[in-house]
Amino acid sequence: MGNFKGILFGTIAAFATIQPVLADPSPNEAPAQNAPAQPAMPPAPETAAAPAAVAEDPVLGVVRTKLRVTHPADNERERMDQAALTEFYAARHGEGLWVTASGLKPAAKALAAEIENANAYGLDASVFKLPKLENGALTATDTDALADAEIQYSTAALLYARYARGGRIPDPSEMLTTEFDRRPQWIEPATVINALADSHEPDAYLRSLHPQQPQFEKLRQIYVTMLPKDGKLTKLSPTAKRIRANMEMWRWMWLDMGDFYVLNNIPEFMQYVYKDGKIIRSAKIVAGQLDKQSTIFSRPLKYVVLRPTWRVPESIMVNELWPSLIRGGALMRQYGLQLETKDGRRIDWRKYDWATTDIRDFNVIQPPGPKSVLGHVKFSFPSQHTIFMHDTPDKWMFRPAQRTLSHGCLRVQNPMQLAEMILMEDKGWDAAKVAELDRSGPLNNEIPITKEIPIHLVYFTAWVGDDGKLKTFGDVYGHEKRITLALDGQWSKIKKGRNHLAPVEPSFSPAAVAAKSRGIDDEAPRSAQKEESLGDIIGNAFGL
């Protein structure tokens, strides 16, 4: 027993000896004198506290499971929505955006109120499927049904976002007509759902997705006054439907129209130049004939061409020049046209038998000069539509009220003023320099434009002026009617018209024209020719 006590007391004494080394001294204490020296240690870096575990709401887990096993939608955009929601909820922790096991969150009420007000923005509130409520509360109470409600809110929000950006008609050029080359201004669904998650005001976010151009809001304010009291959109008046169609067209416009841009409104036959949101020039334009429409699209301006050469469009080469060549080529002589190979080599058109030669194997040009159908200046904004803006020697065309007189290009009133404005904006050139280049500069002088100057060809049949009054213009090409039919769900009634991008095929038989023309002098007086109107067509609208 005595030995045990000795061992115990010795152990306690040894522990007392090393304790100062193991214990952290207080700030006012020095280390024990008999402790061994310790190497200096750098201070430990500060680290963020580990996040507290987030309690998982049971509804969120069921939402994840349901989205993973959801059958893919038939519609591509709906499949993209499904994928975005699946990814979003897989990465989310805690609880859903709109619904928890306790019921509806305040954000869901704000979101639903905005979606239910969709009619006021030219949409149809009935297409957005929202969960059923009773006295402001969800009728669903079990976890499975609450998860369905969460998914419904998010799905409706993504659908609303697509429709606010023009998604009801996702491909106007395919679904309406190739002459209407616009696209919805999509926002990726992942961007939308994450923005909703980050927003404290989901209703305000949804409103922000509609076009922000002042004209859209002006149209909307008038449209709201025309909504049926019972909310049934089948009772919309023709004027209300016209406004709705124009609101839809704004959904396809560029979000940024440009600081300096040119807007050509085809139904109004007017051109406006905008700078910093203000109109600084307005002028008349001549647009395409009803069967040779000016395509509706936007592109940046690439060149201002002074003293331009005209390259004859293939449609005119095939259906107007070719028959003339078979008969002797009067139009080639009358307008000083020249034939070129595809690589630009000049050749003599008189040496070919045009009854057996395909004009599509060549190019036809008209050099600058007094007969030029392009006049003094051309404005080039290249696209697959091969149309542009330009001057014209036929000033009488600006007199009629309905100026659908060209082959698709836009003839511009006072075009040199437009050229001066653009070249001042882009190059800083004054009017005197532009006039000198027009008078004695190089032929076909392509002046590249370095700034972003969009050229918008638009089709607004309704416009609200600064006085707040609604102005309307004729639906000359039928685009407004097509959009209205689409928004009313009457797709089968839409007449798309010709595909203007299809390869050009002759509307005649070269051999038959040649046979019919034997013995007929193509240089005979016009009054004696059966094709008298052809020269008039070319003279009035050649290539335009």
Side-chain angles (χ1 to χ4, degrees), residues 2 43 48 99 166 193 196 223 232 254 279 335 342 358 378 493 512 534:
V99 178
I193 194 64
L196 286 167
Y223 178 75
K232 295 182 179 179
W254 289 8
I279 295 175
Y335 294 99
K342 290 295 185 180
D358 193 330
K378 165 186 170 181
K493 295 183 179 180
L534 185 59

Side-chain angles (χ1 to χ4, degrees), residues 121-196:
Y121 284 84
L123 303 180
D124 183 354
S126 67
V127 305
F128 305 105
K129 304 306 180 186
L130 294 170
K132 294 181 180 180
L133 302 182
E134 189 174 298
N135 298 322
L138 286 168
T139 56
T141 56
D142 62 280
T143 303
D144 190 75
L146 291 172
D148 287 337
E150 172 75 19
I151 295 171
Q152 277 186 303
Y153 279 119
S154 290
T155 301
L158 292 186
L159 181 61
Y160 187 103
R162 279 195 284 124
Y163 283 8
R165 291 306 182 100
R168 284 186 288 183
I169 307 175
D171 191 350
S173 61
E174 172 65 26
M175 303 170 81
L176 301 178
T177 172
T178 59
E179 301 283 11
F180 200 96
D181 185 10
R182 292 284 182 209
R183 294 292 183 276
Q185 301 298 294
W186 304 111
I187 299 180
E188 291 303 314
T191 300
V192 173
I193 194 64
N194 280 289
L196 286 167

Side-chain angles (χ1 to χ4, degrees), residues 327-454:
R327 293 186 173 93
L331 294 176
M332 298 291 288
R333 297 186 184 89
Q334 182 178 354
Y335 294 99
L337 303 177
Q338 299 173 355
L339 191 70
E340 291 183 345
T341 60
K342 290 295 185 180
D343 60 5
R345 181 170 53 87
R346 190 72 50 80
I347 52 179
D348 188 350
W349 56 267
R350 299 170 184 83
K351 295 183 178 180
Y352 292 85
D353 177 5
W354 291 104
T356 58
T357 302
D358 193 330
I359 198 171
R360 289 170 290 188
D361 295 334
F362 305 90
N363 293 326
V364 177
I365 68 165
Q366 184 188 47
K371 294 182 179 180
S372 172
V373 298
L374 301 186
H376 292 261
V377 62
K378 165 186 170 181
F379 304 87
S380 178
F381 40 102
S383 74
Q384 71 272 34
H385 307 295
T386 64
I387 63 175
F388 43 86
M389 306 183 308
H390 63 90
D391 184 17
T392 178
D394 297 319
K395 307 302 181 185
W396 65 267
M397 286 190 171
F398 297 107
R399 291 197 294 268
Q402 178 170 321
R403 296 185 286 277
T404 48
L405 300 168
S406 81
H407 273 61
C409 289
L410 301 183
R411 299 185 181 204
V412 180
Q413 189 180 41
N414 301 325
M416 290 308 297
Q417 181 191 57
L418 177 62
E420 291 167 5
M421 284 183 166
I422 289 172
L423 293 174
M424 170 58 75
E425 178 71 19
D426 187 68
K427 309 292 186 190
W429 295 354
D430 60 15
K433 178 166 184 173
V434 177
E436 176 61 25
L437 288 171
D438 176 44
R439 183 167 53 254
S440 57
L443 297 180
N444 203 47
N445 183 11
E446 293 187 339
I447 303 168
I449 301 303
T450 57
K451 288 187 176 180
E452 179 80 4
I453 299 179

Side-chain angles (χ1 to χ4, degrees), residues 509-523:
S509 165
V513 172
K516 188 175 181 180
S517 301
R518 291 189 183 98
I520 298 179
D521 182 4
D522 196 41
E523 302 301 328

